[in-house]
Amino acid sequence: MNTRAWIVFLDESGVSLLPQVRRTYAPRGRTPLLRHRLNWKRASMAGALGYHAADPARGPRLCFHLKPGGYDTTALIEVLEQLKLFYRGERVVLVWDGLSAHWSRAMRAWVAEQDWLTLERLPAYAPGLNPVELLWSSLKKRELANLAGDHLADVADATEQGIHRINHNPQLPWSFLAHTGLTIHPPTPPN
């Protein structure tokens, strides 16, 4: 692995206009009610958390993408094009799961033409090894909790607020990584 590269974990998740029901507080005798329109419109999110392999002082970097509908190979290649601009052509080792769009023939052909990108696959059935899963959990338990929006723009606005919250607290992305049990920086050999 290139020690001067960014190690970037990428994952996708979905949100809809149906609220993420979470426990809340209310005065005794006043049970909160969530009123929504039973609208099934969905959006998909892609998040990429990057950690520099050689220089932790560069801090974690979060890249986020939101779109109506779902991700396929073409949409994911567009996300990776944005990721290339985000990292300004620096070397990236991208770690993601075994989603078929991640390993399709078209994706592998596109990646073969990229000199800045190396792909690594997470083990099957191991979402606990991807710190982006904790990012989704944080967003869904806080900004998206009990949100009964009328339009996907409401969900997008709340998600954007959550991304800003996480970006303004650089310890959160590090805690997401620590929770996985993975480390980016090799231990310093004893003298």
Side-chain angles (χ1 to χ4, degrees):
M1 180 175 5
N2 187 340
T3 59
R4 296 188 327 161
W6 286 91
I7 309 301
V8 178
F9 295 87
L10 191 139
D11 192 40
E12 304 84 13
S13 185
V15 292
S16 75
L17 290 180
L18 295 176
Q20 301 273 330
V21 179
R22 297 289 184 252
R23 184 177 294 186
T24 187
Y25 295 96
R28 185 175 292 190
R30 293 196 201 149
T31 302
L33 297 176
L34 278 177
R35 298 190 192 281
H36 58 88
R37 298 179 181 200
L38 286 174
N39 194 329
W40 294 93
K41 286 186 181 174
R42 295 189 53 79
S44 295
M45 309 179 287
L49 268 175
Y51 306 90
H52 199 274
D55 187 3
R58 292 182 78 176
R61 297 190 69 194
L62 172 58
C63 183
F64 179 77
H65 186 266
L66 180 72
K67 71 180 275 323
Y71 285 104
D72 59 7
T73 300
T74 304
L76 284 171
I77 288 173
E78 290 173 14
V79 170
L80 293 178
E81 291 280 2
Q82 290 180 7
L83 197 67
K84 180 179 183 177
L85 294 173
F86 187 75
Y87 283 100
R88 296 182 190 100
E90 291 187 77
R91 300 274 316 143
V92 169
V93 176
L94 186 69
V95 182
W96 58 7
D97 57 26
L99 182 71
S100 60
H102 294 174
W103 302 99
S104 69
R105 184 172 289 139
M107 178 64 76
R108 286 180 289 161
W110 183 84
V111 169
E113 297 172 357
Q114 309 303 311
D115 62 349
W116 63 278
L117 183 63
T118 304
L119 296 182
E120 294 292 335
R121 187 176 188 160
L122 285 168
Y125 307 106
L129 293 177
N130 193 338
V132 182
E133 294 286 354
L134 296 158
L135 168 88
W136 300 144
S137 178
S138 179
L139 286 174
K140 290 178 180 182
K141 288 180 180 174
R142 191 140 173 203
E143 283 78 15
L144 298 176
N146 301 319
L147 176 67
D150 290 326
H151 306 285
L152 280 177
D154 300 332
V155 175
D157 291 344
T159 303
E160 189 174 320
Q161 289 173 4
I163 295 299
H164 287 300
R165 172 181 57 87
I166 292 166
N167 269 333
H168 285 88
N169 183 349
Q171 292 306 313
L172 273 176
W174 285 115
S175 70
F176 297 158
L177 180 66
H179 189 76
T180 67
L182 300 174
T183 59
I184 296 297
H185 312 291
T188 308
N191 292 335

